[in-house]
Amino acid sequence: MLDQIFDSLHFHLSIEASIVLLILVFLEAVLSADNAIALAAIAQGLDNKKLERQALNIGLVVAYVLRITLLLTATEVQKFWQFELLGAAYLLWLVFQHFTSAESENDHHHGPRFNSLWQAIPVIAFTDLAFSLDSVTTAIAVSQEKWLVLTGTTIGIITLRFMAGLFIRWLDEFENLEDAGYITVSLVGLRLLLKVINDDLVPPEWLMITAIALILAWGFSKRTVTETPQIEPEKVK
């Protein structure tokens, strides 16, 4: 979604590389909120917070390798619409799985439960890869500056890990946030699908960002109600 933004800036990367890098990191943080929620929700399929953190750490290391591979082969990948179709199908399958599965007894979590750490890691890594397909054209725009691509990707993954850690906590605090996150995931999946069908049908970036912002605002609108145990007053003898 960043390719048109870079085109409008008309920066010469060899001269303005530092400015472009700052913009890239900022946009990465803003536009990866839906990705962070999805990864946090997937990690919640594990039994405890320690395993959730480990799954995010290892999963994003694998995701980083996959992102670098995707970026370095972006020109070739873009020639095959099948990659975007698979990414769209995968993201929409995650959304379908979320909204058709029953909530767990102890919390509002939907979706798969994992019996081990190693079951969650591939799901986290491939989910991030599917999101990365949406911005693969940006890699082509800056392909002449390989170090810039690698640096931006590295900082982006670190930012994503930090945001996913925050969302793991917020998912427990806000009742609608997980559903809101998966609605934004469906938007990304539909955008990829439209790119496969016809580029002219793809909605503009400002509309996508506005829609995601409004959906996330709804997600943060209602806190989870927690029942506090009532303590009976001691009887006076």
Side-chain angles (χ1 to χ4, degrees):
M1 292 195 337
L2 306 180
D3 49 314
Q4 293 183 7
I5 297 175
F6 274 97
D7 290 340
S8 65
L9 293 176
H10 299 294
F11 276 142
H12 191 279
L13 292 181
S14 61
I15 300 174
E16 305 290 351
S18 59
I19 298 176
V20 174
L21 180 60
L22 289 175
I23 294 174
L24 180 62
V25 172
F26 172 76
L27 292 175
E28 181 81 31
V30 172
L31 298 176
S32 64
D34 48 359
N35 190 357
I37 294 179
L39 299 185
I42 290 170
Q44 280 196 325
L46 291 163
D47 292 334
N48 59 64
K49 297 299 180 183
K50 181 179 179 181
L51 288 177
E52 289 174 8
R53 291 192 297 270
Q54 290 177 345
L56 283 175
N57 290 336
I58 302 173
L60 286 177
V61 169
V62 178
Y64 175 72
V65 175
L66 294 177
R67 273 201 197 194
I68 295 298
T69 304
L70 176 64
L71 290 171
L72 294 179
T73 59
T75 304
E76 295 299 320
V77 168
Q78 199 180 35
K79 296 178 182 178
F80 299 95
W81 56 266
Q82 290 88 347
F83 286 108
E84 290 179 337
L85 180 61
L86 287 173
Y90 177 75
L91 291 178
L92 294 175
W93 173 77
L94 285 179
V95 175
F96 174 80
Q97 187 181 44
H98 169 76
F99 285 107
T100 57
S101 61
E103 291 184 355
S104 59
E105 296 180 359
N106 300 324
D107 51 43
H108 295 283
H109 176 73
H110 291 260
R113 287 286 178 181
F114 303 108
N115 296 322
S116 71
L117 177 69
W118 302 107
Q119 289 181 339
I121 289 171
V123 180
I124 290 173
F126 283 107
T127 300
D128 180 76
L129 181 64
F131 272 91
S132 299
L133 287 170
D134 189 38
S135 57
V136 68
T137 50
T138 304
I140 298 174
V142 294
S143 60
Q144 299 303 315
E145 300 285 346
K146 298 294 186 183
W147 71 268
L148 185 61
V149 176
L150 297 177
T151 305
T153 300
T154 302
I155 297 176
I157 282 286
I158 295 172
T159 304
L160 182 60
R161 172 61 184 89
F162 174 75
M163 292 179 65
L166 289 177
F167 277 115
I168 280 184
R169 185 182 67 192
W170 290 336
L171 285 171
D172 293 330
E173 296 181 10
F174 296 94
E175 185 173 332
N176 298 325
L177 186 57
E178 187 174 7
D179 287 343
Y182 274 96
I183 293 173
T184 63
V185 171
S186 70
L187 294 182
V188 177
L190 290 173
R191 177 184 166 85
L192 280 172
L193 187 60
L194 289 175
K195 287 176 72 175
V196 173
I197 298 171
N198 188 341
D199 271 337
D200 294 334
L201 299 176
V202 177
E205 280 79 1
W206 67 265
L207 183 59
M208 286 287 294
I209 294 172
T210 303
I212 289 173
L214 291 174
I215 294 168
L216 293 183
W218 169 73
F220 282 105
S221 64
K222 184 178 181 182
R223 287 187 175 273
T224 303
V225 177
T226 55
E227 296 182 0
T228 55
Q230 297 181 350
I231 302 175
E232 297 182 359
E234 294 183 3
K235 295 181 180 180
V236 179
K237 296 182 180 179

